[in-house]
Amino acid sequence: MNAWRFLVTATLLVAPCLATAATRIVSLGGDVTETVYALHAQDQLVAVDSTSTWPEAAHALPDVGYVRQLSAEGVLALRPDLILATHDAGPVTAMEQIRGAGVRVETLPVSRSAADIEAKIRRIGELTGHAKEAGVLAAQVSARFAALAKAVAAMPTHPRAVFLMSTGQGSPMAAGKDTAADRAIVLAGGVNAASDVPGYKAVSPESLVAMAPDVILLMKERSDAVGGIDGVLAMPGVADTPAGKAKRIVFVGGQALLGFGPRTAESAAALQARWAHP
């Protein structure tokens, strides 16, 4: 009898957990979506946002729009029971409407370090019911970052690099302090030549020359739009920088390196190796 009562009690305790398990998840943020797929929890996804460009399979899911310009109605129409959102998902009014409709919204904090990424992986694992897979992935990511740190420490010199966000109109935007690009440059063993700039700021040809970057970084996704390396070298001021003179223009995967997700350590290591062996 005691064993039977114990079994009934245990069942009653577990049942609510099973009943509330999220089966219809909307992922808002490329790093979030990438992590969900890395944890093999993609079967629970019913939609993603437009920044969720990797893996390719994510393109087959409904797109609810740009992560910062969401429509509450569009998200709610998918009947989600959980929203996994990056820190900048919005606007605020849309997120409030979604919460007001009774949908659980889990907003993940800003990620700018190895520890942040590992914590994010574990949290998403908990929220999707894939804690075991998350533990394995977090350990793998931790090992990759440890190897990267060792390689960076062995570098005899650390190149000055600047990340430019070119819109094709007017002056490009340089990534200054407290940006994802700033932290990625440092992780890969570089020195941000625009560290005196707050956030993203338009940089004049004269300012770019004064920064004296050894390497200029741009998003690989924008390489065709800017005309490749030749197009970058034609930008005002670039040819007069050490990077321009040496033609050290590097295109990096935007989401892979700057998304601070499962692939960031690997992408930063590839960049570090390229700097160490130009």
Side-chain angles (χ1 to χ4, degrees):
M1 179 65 70
N2 288 339
W4 171 252
R5 293 174 66 179
F6 173 79
L7 179 60
V8 171
T9 301
T11 302
L12 291 174
L13 289 173
V14 173
C17 297
L18 296 175
T20 57
T23 58
R24 298 185 62 80
I25 299 174
V26 172
S27 177
L28 305 177
D31 57 323
V32 178
T33 300
E34 181 177 332
T35 303
V36 171
Y37 272 88
L39 296 178
H40 306 293
Q42 63 269 21
D43 289 345
Q44 295 161 251
L45 290 175
V46 294
V48 297
D49 75 303
S50 63
T51 69
S52 299
T53 59
W54 197 93
E56 186 67 27
H59 292 281
L61 291 168
D63 182 344
V64 295
Y66 181 51
V67 67
R68 297 185 184 182
Q69 299 175 352
L70 300 167
S71 162
E73 291 78 8
V75 174
L76 292 173
L78 294 158
R79 298 180 292 106
D81 52 15
L82 175 63
I83 306 294
L84 290 178
T86 188
H87 68 281
D88 54 357
V92 174
T93 52
M95 301 308 290
E96 289 178 344
Q97 286 179 321
I98 293 171
R99 289 189 179 91
V103 178
R104 181 183 181 187
V105 177
E106 289 287 342
T107 301
L108 299 160
V110 179
S111 300
R112 290 291 184 269
S113 70
D116 292 341
I117 296 174
E118 292 164 33
K120 176 166 57 180
I121 290 171
R122 293 183 187 279
R123 181 57 177 154
I124 293 176
E126 292 172 359
L127 294 168
T128 59
H130 289 73
K132 183 177 180 179
E133 294 91 334
V136 173
L137 180 59
Q140 293 172 343
V141 169
S142 178
R144 291 171 193 155
F145 273 113
L148 171 61
K150 185 176 180 180
V152 166
M155 293 172 65
T157 60
H158 300 271
R160 291 174 57 81
V162 63
F163 180 86
L164 299 180
M165 183 72 74
S166 176
T167 62
Q169 299 177 349
S171 299
M173 306 286 286
K177 60 183 179 182
D178 299 326
T179 61
D182 173 59
R183 301 318 307 156
I185 288 171
V186 174
L187 275 175
V191 176
N192 188 3
S195 60
D196 292 336
V197 174
Y200 279 90
K201 186 176 181 181
V203 58
S204 68
E206 295 77 16
S207 296
L208 183 59
V209 173
M211 290 178 184
D214 299 307
V215 182
I216 292 177
L217 304 174
L218 297 97
M219 287 179 61
K220 184 183 297 182
E221 293 83 350
R222 295 284 299 167
S223 60
D224 290 339
V226 299
I229 292 178
D230 289 339
V232 177
L233 291 173
M235 291 180 182
V238 171
D240 294 321
T241 64
K245 293 174 182 178
K247 296 185 178 181
R248 297 191 73 186
I249 311 299
V250 178
F251 290 98
V252 297
Q255 184 61 42
L257 180 64
L258 309 180
F260 283 81
R263 293 183 295 158
T264 293
E266 185 177 355
S267 297
L271 181 57
Q272 183 277 331
R274 187 165 185 172
W275 285 346
H277 307 286

